[in-house]
Amino acid sequence: MATYMKFVCFRSRRAVYDVYWQQMCLLSHIRCIVLRRSTSHNPAFQLSSRRRPTVCHFSTSCSTFRKDFRNITTKTNQLGTTKALVEETKESRNKKNLTKEITKKKNEYLLKNENIKEKNILELNEKRTLYKVQLPGQRLEPTEDDNNKSVSEQLVAHVVPCPIEPEDGNKDKTEDISEWVENKVQFRELPSLYMQLSKSRLTGLVVLSAMAGYGMSSGDFIPMTFALMSLGTFLTSCSANAMNQFFEVPFDSQMLRTRNRVLVRGLLSSTHSVGFAMTAGLSGIAILGLFVNPLSAAIAFSTWALYTMAYTPLKRISIINTWVGAVVGALPPLIGWSASSGSLQGGALVLAGILYAWQFPHFNALSWNLRKDYSRGGYRMMATTDPGLCRRVALRHCVGITGLCTLAPVIGLTTWAFALDTLPINLWFTWLAWRFHQKADSHSAKQLFRFSLLHLPIIMLLMIISKKKLSPDSEKNSLANWSVKKEFE
């Protein structure tokens, strides 16, 4: 646009210059002719030689023309520059106005979307599933005024089913309900609910470790004693886990990992769950005491008491709960060992030591990725209060497992093949714990936790394969055999 204006100004100046030049030349020529004629017919003027006639020279007219033309061209240049500036200013203003309009429309669009999202969230909150948390010793029943109250007034605690959790044996699908309904449990659903209340996977691990203890003992293998020991251990573990869930209902409702449990959702009443726990616990300890031996029953009762009366309350008080929980996890092999031999030898302590040391890398790696969940529930774990200690303890106990596996053939519990077979497995376990200690990230914690699930069964299997008799002659009059003989008399 500026180039075009310069071209127009140049053409206009050229045209003015040509016209003005032609006019000035014509006027100067006419004036010269008039002056010559007047002087030729006037004798007085001819006689005065000193007086020079006034003649309009061409140079004078040209100088005047240059001044006038300079003024014209200057004004023309100023006019062209002004027009260009005006047009540029208009363009810039148009651009600014266009930018303002675009920004305004964008803000209006974003505000409209936010309003729509808020409206959708409010609608979803009105339609979402609402639960009341059933506290220990209380039974929740719908009231007539619940429909007239607001959502905040209706809820004792707010629980929303977690859609991202994987489905397993301890979690069921939940359905949205718009109003209070009575929970009716059919008889065929009770076994599934009891297994969820008993933490079936944890109970299965406890029973397997007790079986490993029975298999590694120096006593004879008696199928009936083995079956009764397994049943008693199973019932005692079910009771301990049910009591643990009963005490932690208010806190489980705040955690994503546990808020779909049976008692949190109100599928079983508190009275029902406590009754199941007491029945299972008394039955398990009675079976161990009457049909196995009193030592196994005493160890099982100690395990139940430590888990429900020490470990469960300590979870909200101090990180010592992890060490108490490791002791609880180390006792089940002693139940099996004492059930077979009627006493505890050095091999039983080595086996319990391996279980004790294994608890730390297993649980610390698990709790590392659940730190936010444990903090939300108010639990004091090493992963939340002291992350550095959490990683160091896991690494130390992985090294300790290697030493305990080497100690097993030294005391005559296994052959030296066990130490050689478990060495690469323990070294890899230690390497994963070292990576977890150095990186302190979610990926390394998951790798350590997943391998720990394979590590313990492999160690137990290799130990049974490499088992060596502690005494060549088995005690045929042992307390375990005596209890079984008494049963059939």
Side-chain angles (χ1 to χ4, degrees), residues 187-422:
F187 182 77
R188 65 174 181 271
E189 297 177 352
L190 286 177
S192 175
L193 296 177
Y194 286 155
M195 292 304 295
Q196 296 179 46
L197 188 63
S198 304
K199 300 180 182 178
S200 57
R201 291 177 295 180
L202 179 58
T203 298
L205 183 61
V206 170
V207 174
L208 287 176
S209 60
M211 290 179 177
Y214 187 94
M216 289 301 300
S217 67
S218 59
D220 293 335
F221 182 83
I222 302 175
M224 183 59 68
T225 305
F226 178 78
L228 291 172
M229 182 276 303
S230 302
L231 178 60
T233 304
F234 172 78
L235 292 174
T236 307
S237 178
C238 290
S239 173
N241 290 322
M243 291 300 298
N244 173 266
Q245 289 200 39
F246 168 75
F247 287 127
E248 294 183 347
V249 168
F251 316 117
D252 287 345
S253 63
Q254 303 174 35
M255 298 173 60
L256 297 175
R257 177 172 170 260
T258 57
R259 63 185 181 185
N260 282 333
R261 285 180 174 175
V262 174
L263 295 182
V264 175
R265 293 167 55 194
L267 299 178
L268 292 176
S269 65
S270 299
T271 306
H272 193 159
S273 61
V274 173
F276 166 76
M278 291 294 101
T279 303
L282 292 174
S283 301
I285 294 174
I287 290 172
L288 292 173
L290 296 175
F291 303 108
V292 182
N293 58 53
L295 181 58
S296 298
I299 297 174
F301 177 76
S302 301
T303 306
W304 184 91
L306 280 174
Y307 189 73
T308 57
M309 300 179 184
Y311 172 72
T312 299
L314 279 174
K315 288 168 70 176
R316 299 181 59 83
I317 298 174
S318 173
I319 61 174
I320 300 175
N321 68 83
T322 308
W323 280 266
V324 176
V327 173
V328 174
L331 291 179
L334 301 183
I335 299 174
W337 189 289
S338 62
S340 176
S341 63
S343 61
L344 298 177
Q345 292 97 13
L349 299 180
V350 172
L351 183 59
I354 293 175
L355 265 294
Y356 174 82
W358 177 84
Q359 304 287 331
F360 290 95
H362 171 76
F363 181 75
N364 288 7
L366 172 65
S367 62
W368 186 265
N369 291 326
L370 299 174
R371 287 174 292 174
K372 294 182 180 179
D373 224 13
Y374 281 122
S375 298
R376 191 182 296 111
Y379 295 113
R380 297 184 64 81
M381 301 296 175
M382 280 189 286
T384 57
T385 59
D386 195 344
L389 179 64
C390 175
R391 302 193 302 273
R392 291 194 300 272
V393 168
L395 179 60
R396 292 170 188 169
H397 285 84
C398 284
V399 176
I401 291 174
T402 306
L404 289 171
C405 290
T406 307
L407 183 62
V410 174
I411 64 173
L413 179 62
T414 62
T415 61
W416 282 99
F418 173 73
L420 296 176
D421 292 338
T422 58

